[in-house]
């Protein structure tokens, strides 16, 4: 049996660009009037839609739209590159790895505390600096630790991966997902973070329950392991815990101070994208110098970190092309109007949950969080204006859908790389993770409804 190969995300998005150009000849042109709300953001006047003269997009625009899209999204793209490079400089010191290893080693043989605490640590990595590729280096540690507790590789993989996934889904300070989405939606940077912290903690608690329960079953009888054959043949694998040095402690203090300054700035309302990039850049350079790295080494680590986010940064610019084509063809408002007519009359809670499920499914095709935000938020934000879903709730739907799906679908490069390192077949992982995902999805739907009840804002 031949499996259908999913096209690369760039191919899918560019296909949508071409489709948008074709649709500009078919879909009637139309427009809404827009006005500035009290926060200075342009929002849709839902009563103002009217059809206008057709303005089809010439086929040559599918090529011009790429540099135009990159230019239009330059602020977000370079923000991603700078912050990615900053974390490259921080990771180059080894402080984060050493700090995590220290905490985990101190709690060895206390699995009732160790499992949720380890997952909580990784969740904060996902929620702040978008810990994704970085999780891969911790998977061998997680597996070794789980086996030392009489558990299995599945437990170790889940501790690392599902912890990071819960953090991504909360994403209270994740510039690569929430930051990009809020920028596009016109929301203040990292606004609404306290609700997202609650989301993150609940997702961690749910995952910890499942992982601990499964691990205990394996402890009691290794035959309960979903990867019993792997455990039966496992060699005595060793993982060298990095020693936490004074330099590492100083670097960690710099990181905590930097995040504290960012939180303070968000609360005070002065932390813009430029402020954020500047703080991260200062954190990275200071960490590299105090961590004992040379100026050349710091520069190389910056480039390495920036390389790791190249895919996400470029896909933001490519996704912006879709918006430019839809705007040039004057059909984006017609699409918004058509969808809003379908949703009109439905409770706002139904529309909100539908947005969450839609974002979850879209992650199968666009596994990049930044790219997914750039593709979907321009459409869903104004739809939310019309059907009564606050833009902050629209962003919440995106971040939860993207974050949770990262560790379910086989199109996720991070998931498949992690499973490869752990030697866990995808079908075994799917057997383990689907109950967690099901409860996560129910919780996510509840969070969407609650966000409407509390008027999650500022708008």
């Amino acid at each position: 049996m031949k499996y259908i190969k999913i096209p690369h995300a760039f191919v899918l998005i560019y296909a949508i660009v071409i489709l948008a150009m074709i649709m500009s000849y078919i879909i009637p042109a139309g427009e809404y009037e827009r006005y500035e709300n009290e926060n200075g953001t342009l929002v849709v006047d839902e009563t103002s839609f009217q059809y206008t003269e057709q303005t089809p997009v010439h086929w040559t625009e599918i090529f011009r739209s790429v540099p135009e899209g990159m230019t239009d999204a330059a602020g977000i793209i370079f923000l991603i590159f700078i912050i990615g490079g900053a974390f490259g400089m921080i990771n180059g010191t080894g402080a984060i790895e050493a700090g995590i290893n220290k905490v985990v080693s101190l709690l060895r043989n206390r699995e009732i505390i160790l499992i949720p605490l380890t997952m909580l640590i990784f969740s904060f990595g996902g929620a702040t600096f978008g810990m994704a590729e970085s999780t891969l280096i911790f998977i061998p540690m997680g597996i070794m630790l789980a086996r030392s507790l009489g558990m299995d590789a599945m437990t170790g993989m889940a501790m690392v991966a599902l912890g990071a996934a819960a953090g991504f889904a909360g994403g209270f300070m994740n510039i690569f997902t929430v930051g990009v989405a809020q920028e596009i939606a016109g929301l203040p940077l990292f606004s609404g973070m306290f609700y997202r912290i609650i989301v993150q903690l609940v997702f961690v608690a749910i995952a910890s329950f499942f992982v601990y329960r499964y691990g205990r079953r394996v402890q009691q009888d290794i035959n309960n392991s979903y990867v019993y054959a792997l455990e039966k043949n496992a060699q005595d694998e060793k993982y060298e815990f990095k020693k936490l040095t004074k330099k590492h402690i100083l670097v960690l203090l710099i990181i905590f101070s930097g995040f504290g300054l960012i939180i303070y700035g968000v609360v005070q309302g002065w932390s813009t994208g430029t402020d954020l990039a500047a703080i991260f850049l200062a954190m990275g350079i200071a960490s590299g110098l105090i961590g004992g790295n040379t100026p050349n080494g710091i520069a190389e680590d910056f480039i390495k970190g920036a390389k790791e986010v190249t895919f996400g940064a470029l896909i933001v610019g490519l996704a912006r092309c879709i918006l430019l084509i839809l705007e040039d063809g004057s059909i984006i408002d017609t699409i918004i109007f058509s969808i809003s007519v379908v949703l009109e009359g439905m409770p706002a809670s139904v529309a909100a949950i539908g947005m969450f499920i839609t974002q979850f499914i879209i992650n199968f095709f666009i596994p990049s969080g930044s790219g997914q935000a750039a593709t979907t938020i321009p459409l869903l934000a104004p739809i939310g204006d019309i059907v009564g879903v606050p833009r902050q709730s629209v962003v919440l739907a995106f971040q939860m859908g993207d974050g949770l799906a990262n560790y379910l679908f086989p199109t996720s490069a991070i998931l498949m790389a992690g499973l490869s390192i752990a030697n866990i077949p995808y079908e075994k992982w799917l057997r383990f993770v689907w109950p967690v995902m099901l409860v996560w999805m129910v919780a996510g739907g509840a969070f969407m409804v609650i966000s409407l009840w509390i008027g999650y804002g500022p708008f």
Side-chain angles (χ1 to χ4, degrees):
M1 177 181 178
K2 287 187 176 181
Y3 292 94
I4 299 174
K5 186 175 180 180
I6 301 298
H8 192 282
F10 280 15
V11 176
L12 281 170
I13 290 178
Y14 202 63
I16 297 173
V17 171
I18 296 172
L19 179 62
M21 181 272 296
I22 295 171
M23 288 297 100
S24 71
Y25 288 85
I26 300 171
I27 297 175
E31 65 178 6
Y32 280 105
E33 292 180 7
R34 287 169 169 79
Y35 63 93
E36 283 192 3
N37 63 11
E38 60 274 14
N39 297 286
T41 300
L42 283 177
V43 295
V44 170
D45 178 356
E46 66 271 17
T47 64
S48 65
F49 180 79
Q50 58 183 355
Y51 290 103
T52 60
E53 184 180 351
Q54 202 77 7
T55 57
V57 176
H58 194 270
W59 66 270
T60 56
E61 291 301 311
I62 64 174
F63 304 109
R64 287 176 54 86
S65 68
V66 175
E68 288 175 352
M70 294 290 179
T71 301
D72 198 50
I76 301 175
I77 292 171
F78 283 108
L79 179 63
I80 292 172
F81 275 130
I82 290 172
I83 293 178
F87 274 108
M89 292 187 282
I90 292 169
N91 287 333
T93 67
I96 293 177
E97 184 179 356
I100 292 175
N101 288 341
K102 181 65 175 179
V103 173
V104 169
S105 62
L106 288 174
L107 293 173
R108 186 190 295 271
N109 299 322
R110 299 178 186 174
E111 58 268 26
I112 195 168
I113 301 174
L114 177 61
I115 289 177
L117 184 58
T118 300
M119 296 182 74
L120 183 64
I121 291 171
F122 282 107
S123 79
F124 276 103
T128 52
F129 57 90
M131 194 176 209
E133 289 86 353
S134 302
T135 60
L136 300 179
I137 64 176
F138 293 102
I139 288 175
M141 177 205 73
I143 293 173
M144 183 277 297
L145 179 65
R147 285 174 174 162
S148 72
L149 298 172
M151 300 177 186
D152 64 356
M154 186 72 78
T155 310
M157 169 76 183
M159 287 165 59
V160 176
L162 296 187
F168 250 92
F172 71 94
M173 284 180 60
N174 187 338
I175 187 61
F176 304 111
T177 54
V178 172
V180 172
Q182 288 184 327
E183 175 85 13
I184 295 170
L187 289 162
L189 187 63
F190 297 143
S191 55
M193 70 161 58
F194 297 110
Y195 188 68
R196 292 197 299 277
I197 291 174
I198 294 172
V199 171
Q200 174 189 341
L201 294 178
V202 170
F203 283 150
V204 171
I206 291 169
S208 297
F209 169 78
F210 278 97
V211 174
Y212 178 74
R213 188 181 66 166
Y214 170 83
R216 285 289 292 166
R217 288 206 311 266
V218 174
Q219 261 187 338
Q220 293 164 4
D221 185 352
I222 192 63
N223 289 295
N224 290 326
S225 172
Y226 291 171
V227 287
Y228 173 72
L230 175 63
E231 297 306 309
K232 188 177 179 181
N233 299 320
Q235 302 296 319
D236 293 329
E237 299 174 1
K238 293 183 178 180
Y239 181 88
E240 184 179 348
F241 287 91
K242 280 196 173 184
K243 184 178 179 181
L244 186 66
T245 65
K246 291 181 180 179
K247 287 183 178 180
H248 288 151
I249 293 173
L250 289 174
V251 171
L252 292 174
L253 288 174
I254 290 171
I255 296 170
F256 290 134
S257 299
F259 279 120
L261 181 59
I262 291 169
I263 293 172
Y264 172 79
V266 169
V267 172
Q268 295 298 314
W270 54 258
S271 187
T272 64
T274 302
D275 296 326
L276 188 70
I279 293 170
F280 272 111
L281 189 60
M283 284 168 56
I285 294 173
S287 296
L289 292 173
I290 291 175
N293 209 343
T294 64
N296 284 349
I298 292 172
E300 290 169 0
D301 286 336
F302 180 89
I303 293 171
K304 182 180 178 182
K307 281 181 180 178
E308 290 181 354
V309 298
T310 298
F311 173 76
L314 292 180
I315 207 171
V316 167
L318 188 59
R320 186 61 64 93
C321 302
I322 301 171
L323 179 62
L324 294 180
I325 294 291
L326 294 176
E327 288 179 341
D328 289 346
S330 300
I331 60 173
I332 185 169
D333 283 358
T334 307
I335 295 171
I336 292 169
F337 173 72
S338 301
I339 296 174
S340 65
V341 167
V342 174
L343 296 176
E344 192 174 8
M346 291 184 182
S349 57
V350 174
I353 293 172
M355 288 180 179
F356 167 48
I357 295 173
T358 298
Q359 293 286 7
F360 186 88
I361 294 171
I362 287 174
N363 184 271
F364 180 87
F365 303 99
I366 307 176
S368 163
S370 302
Q372 187 174 333
T375 304
T376 60
I377 297 298
L379 189 62
L380 292 183
I383 290 174
D385 295 339
I386 296 169
V387 301
V389 178
R391 291 195 173 196
Q392 196 74 269
S393 294
V394 173
V395 171
L396 181 68
F398 152 71
Q399 76 200 45
M400 290 194 301
D402 168 68
L404 300 183
N406 281 332
Y407 287 92
L408 176 65
F409 295 136
T411 49
S412 169
I414 301 302
L415 171 61
M416 301 312 289
L419 293 177
S420 176
I421 291 170
N423 290 317
I424 296 175
Y426 174 72
E427 61 272 16
K428 300 290 186 183
W429 173 256
L430 188 61
R431 179 186 176 190
F432 169 82
V433 83
W434 78 261
V436 185
M437 286 291 170
L438 183 61
V439 178
W440 268 352
M441 290 294 287
V442 172
F447 278 124
M448 290 303 302
V449 174
I450 293 170
S451 75
L452 299 184
W453 288 350
I454 64 175
Y456 191 33
F459 57 89

